[in-house]
Amino acid sequence: VSTQSTGKINNQKSTKNKKSLLLEKILLQKEIKRTYKMKLRSSKDILNRILWDDKLNENDYVIGYIDRFSGVEQICLKNFYEFNSQTTHENFIAQHRIIYFKRITDDTFVWHRKLKIDLIFNNQY
C-alpha cells in the first residue's frame, strides 16, 4: 500500500468521523430543544396527583414554599392540605409560592420549580 493510498484512506475515515460527529451534535441539539419545550406541570397538578393517586402515599411528601417573612419553609403535604382549607387569608399558602415537593423516605425532590424537575408525571413511578 502506497503512502498516497493510505492518505486517501485516512482522509475518508476522518471525513466519516467528522460527519458522524456532526450528526451526533445535531441530534443532541434537537433533543435539548425538545426537552426545553416540555412544560413543567403546575404545583396544583402535582398536589392533586399525590393526593389522589393510590400508588403515592401523601404522608411521605413535604412541600417547600416561600414564606413572605421567613423565607423557605417546609410543611407535610397532608398538613398543607388541611392547613390551606381551614386558614385565614393571612396564613394561606398560595400555589405560586410552592417551590418543591420532596419525598421524605429517600430525601428526593420529586418536583422542583427552579430546577425543572418533575418525577411525578415523567413516568418515574
Side-chain angles (χ1 to χ4, degrees), residues 9-123:
I9 293 172
N10 287 338
N11 284 340
Q12 289 174 349
K13 286 182 181 180
S14 66
T15 305
K16 286 182 181 179
N17 287 340
K18 287 179 184 178
K19 286 181 181 178
S20 64
L21 289 174
L22 182 62
L23 181 62
E24 287 178 18
K25 185 177 177 181
I26 291 169
L27 292 175
L28 181 61
Q29 288 174 347
K30 285 183 179 180
E31 180 65 24
I32 290 170
K33 285 180 184 178
R34 187 181 68 79
T35 304
Y36 280 113
K37 286 182 182 179
M38 293 172 54
K39 290 188 178 181
L40 188 66
R41 296 276 188 136
S42 70
S43 59
K44 185 176 181 179
D45 289 341
I46 303 299
L47 179 64
N48 286 332
R49 174 78 181 263
I50 294 173
L51 289 174
W52 297 104
D53 192 339
D54 293 336
K55 297 174 190 172
L56 304 173
N57 181 4
E58 64 189 36
N59 295 321
D60 194 26
Y61 294 91
V62 293
I63 295 176
Y65 64 95
I66 298 175
D67 184 75
R68 291 180 292 173
F69 305 108
S70 60
V72 178
E73 297 284 331
Q74 281 190 3
I75 187 169
C76 181
L77 185 122
K78 188 167 185 153
N79 294 344
F80 171 82
Y81 188 66
E82 293 168 0
F83 180 78
N84 261 6
S85 62
Q86 299 175 359
T87 58
T88 62
H89 179 69
E90 294 173 0
N91 296 331
F92 181 78
I93 301 169
Q95 296 288 324
H96 69 272
R97 294 195 179 275
I98 296 175
I99 302 172
Y100 61 82
F101 288 83
K102 186 189 285 188
R103 190 172 45 238
I104 299 170
T105 53
D106 58 357
D107 201 35
T108 301
F109 290 114
V110 293
W111 184 87
H112 198 292
R113 180 186 312 273
K114 293 182 181 180
L115 300 176
K116 298 201 183 257
I117 297 172
D118 181 0
L119 302 180
I120 297 291
F121 282 97
N122 287 339
N123 298 326

